[in-house]
Amino acid sequence: MQRAVNMVARLGLCLQALPSALGRPLSCTQTKIFGCDRVRLMESLVVGDIAELRPNQGTLSLFTNEAGGILDDLIVTNTSEGHLYVVSNAGCWDKDLALMQDKVRELQNMGSDVALEVVDNALLALQGPTAAQVLQAGVAEDLRKLPFMTSAVMEVFGVSGCRVTRCGYTGEDGVEISVPAAGAVCLATALLDNPEVKLAGLAARDSLRLEAGLCLYGNDIDEHTTPVEGSLSWTLGKRRRAAMDFPGAAVIVPQLKGEVQRKRVGLLCEGAPMRAHSPILSTEGTVIGTVTSGCPSPCLKKNVAMGYVPCEYSRPGTPLLVEVRRKQQMAVVSKMPFVPTNYYTLK
């Protein structure tokens, strides 16, 4: 049975269908955190300010370890139904679930009011410039009132109990729809009835997220990368920085003041496409870093990549070399996103 369907977009809309032999979505997993101490639990694991989230507002955050490394990236939404809705990477599911369950047990043993529930839903990601227009035909709610990183529960094309969140990992406007598994195929079929919606694979989403300068866990960030090194300092809540009460704060907070050795940067180059693990060199030919993600940009008609270099080489416009197929070619440090994002915000 199909358990996860993703839709990614370029000029229109695209739909990607992923069957799962594991009985859960391949791309993302979903969890609910209940209880009066749900915010306390989540803030003991992530770097973000969860307490400040308004009802039905979400934020991208990071699980971190005591060494400051990133265990996973995730989206946490403070729902109006009285629980936190968490979406994390399926590739990290086992360790993410164990991390949250261990903390739940720890707090429960201390008398805290907190509980965890795994959500057995599929996740559909409808992305693209006309995503809202396509979805609006199947919902009663006015999607113009649903800005980026907010969500609402609604019926979608006759499937009830769907949580629609205005987000996605493509840099485009769009939504992710948490849908009961029994209605996933029905909903996907209804969306595909629109001629603007097309099937697409992970490679299409990968090029979109790279053009948008978005990290892929396991490639661009991992447990040996801190948020500051990964150019993700913006995920650190101001209150959390001051309190230094998240895992790895003793390592991460000093780095905010410049005490960091390397940074994630964007790269542009002509010639052969840069790929993960390609060496990055100074113009003198010394290896100084490594590409973590790279591909030809369909929008720019250039090769884009991201990777890590020492801070002194991280300024946009810095000329570098990248070794591709045993040949050195010129590259330049570039600001990200490479292609402007199109997230929907209220005017």
Side-chain angles (χ1 to χ4, degrees):
M1 185 175 79
Q2 293 180 344
R3 296 303 308 277
V5 185
N6 286 344
M7 287 154 274
V8 292
R10 169 86 40 208
L11 301 176
L13 297 166
C14 301
L15 170 68
Q16 172 198 336
L18 294 175
S20 173
L22 301 177
R24 59 175 182 259
L26 289 178
S27 57
C28 296
T29 52
Q30 304 164 69
T31 311
K32 292 180 181 179
I33 308 294
F34 297 92
C36 296
D37 296 306
R38 59 189 181 277
V39 171
R40 178 186 173 192
L41 177 139
M42 192 53 57
E43 289 196 347
S44 72
L45 300 174
V46 304
V47 302
D49 192 338
I50 308 304
E52 74 171 3
L53 293 175
R54 298 185 299 274
N56 292 323
Q57 181 186 17
T59 185
L60 178 71
S61 197
L62 306 168
F63 287 125
T64 49
N65 59 28
E66 292 300 333
I70 301 170
L71 297 173
D72 196 10
D73 56 318
L74 66 155
I75 292 178
V76 182
T77 298
N78 176 30
T79 74
S80 59
E81 293 80 37
H83 64 267
L84 299 178
Y85 169 59
V86 179
V87 178
S88 57
N89 290 306
C92 299
W93 175 237
D94 291 337
K95 70 175 182 181
D96 288 353
L97 182 60
L99 184 70
M100 291 186 286
Q101 287 178 331
D102 287 347
K103 184 58 69 170
V104 166
R105 284 191 289 267
E106 177 186 329
L107 292 182
Q108 287 177 341
N109 289 338
M110 297 169 59
S112 298
D113 176 22
V114 67
L116 178 150
E117 175 189 319
V118 175
V119 181
D120 190 26
N121 279 10
L123 196 65
L124 301 147
L126 178 67
Q127 301 283 287
T130 55
Q133 177 183 331
V134 168
L135 189 64
Q136 189 64 74
V139 301
E141 288 76 2
D142 185 354
L143 296 178
R144 292 174 298 180
K145 298 179 181 179
L146 191 72
F148 183 61
M149 294 306 290
T150 63
S151 74
V153 175
M154 61 186 74
E155 181 177 296
V156 184
F157 286 101
V159 181
S160 60
C162 296
R163 175 168 291 279
V164 176
T165 305
R166 198 74 171 256
C167 70
Y169 219 63
T170 63
E172 293 291 336
D173 183 26
V175 297
E176 290 187 349
I177 309 168
S178 176
V179 53
V185 173
C186 177
L187 179 52
T189 301
L191 290 167
L192 282 169
D193 283 342
N194 189 309
E196 288 199 44
V197 180
K198 306 297 182 183
L199 288 167
L202 281 174
R205 188 181 68 169
D206 195 49
S207 65
L208 286 163
R209 68 93 188 168
L210 186 49
E211 287 181 334
L214 301 173
C215 296
L216 177 63
Y217 190 82
N219 285 44
D220 311 299
I221 51 175
D222 57 29
E223 61 186 31
H224 303 295
T225 308
T226 70
V228 181
E229 291 174 331
S231 298
L232 296 170
S233 299
W234 58 270
T235 64
L236 305 170
K238 183 177 180 180
R239 173 178 61 85
R240 308 300 308 282
R241 299 183 191 197
M244 294 185 66
D245 59 352
F246 54 86
V251 175
I252 296 169
V253 173
Q255 290 183 345
L256 293 169
K257 302 175 183 178
E259 299 176 22
V260 64
Q261 300 300 311
R262 61 175 190 148
K263 293 293 290 290
R264 178 175 63 93
V265 299
L267 295 168
L268 288 172
C269 84
E270 305 292 340
M274 298 169 283
R275 300 295 188 183
H277 311 300
S278 297
I280 303 172
L281 304 88
S282 68
T283 52
E284 290 77 29
T286 302
V287 176
I288 59 171
T290 306
V291 171
T292 54
S293 291
C295 72
S297 165
C299 282
L300 299 178
K301 309 303 180 185
K302 297 180 180 179
N303 300 318
V304 298
M306 59 177 72
Y308 285 84
V309 298
C311 280
E312 57 265 32
Y313 294 94
S314 64
R315 185 183 298 275
T318 301
L320 295 172
L321 297 171
V322 177
E323 185 176 305
V324 182
R325 300 172 187 168
R326 299 184 180 179
K327 294 183 179 179
Q328 295 180 3
Q329 55 192 47
M330 293 299 300
V332 62
V333 176
S334 173
K335 290 183 178 180
M336 293 185 287
F338 300 105
V339 176
T341 56
N342 292 305
Y343 304 126
Y344 175 73
T345 58
L346 298 179
K347 305 300 184 188

